[in-house]
Amino acid sequence: DLIANVTLHCQRHYFGASCSTRCVSSDRQSCDSVGRPSCREGWTGEECRSRESDCVKSISSSTGEIVGTGQSWR
């Protein structure tokens, strides 16, 4: 019997068993070993586009939304 072990190495920015998950690290987000993005410290929101310092870290008791200052953060 012939037994072979094969290891697949994905190209840069691609993850997963079939290398179909794409994640690109940047100054705002990092990618874990399976390609899940997470915001780096100081960044938040969709695709880590918002600076945490731009938001007031308080939650409205009536709506449960994060309330910002000086802009329409919600």
Side-chain angles (χ1 to χ4, degrees), residues 33-53:
S33 63
V34 295
R36 285 184 298 234
S38 62
C39 294
R40 295 187 190 272
E41 187 175 335
W43 294 95
T44 188
E46 186 178 338
E47 297 182 7
C48 307
R49 291 182 182 175
S50 300
R51 284 190 156 283
E52 285 183 347
S53 60

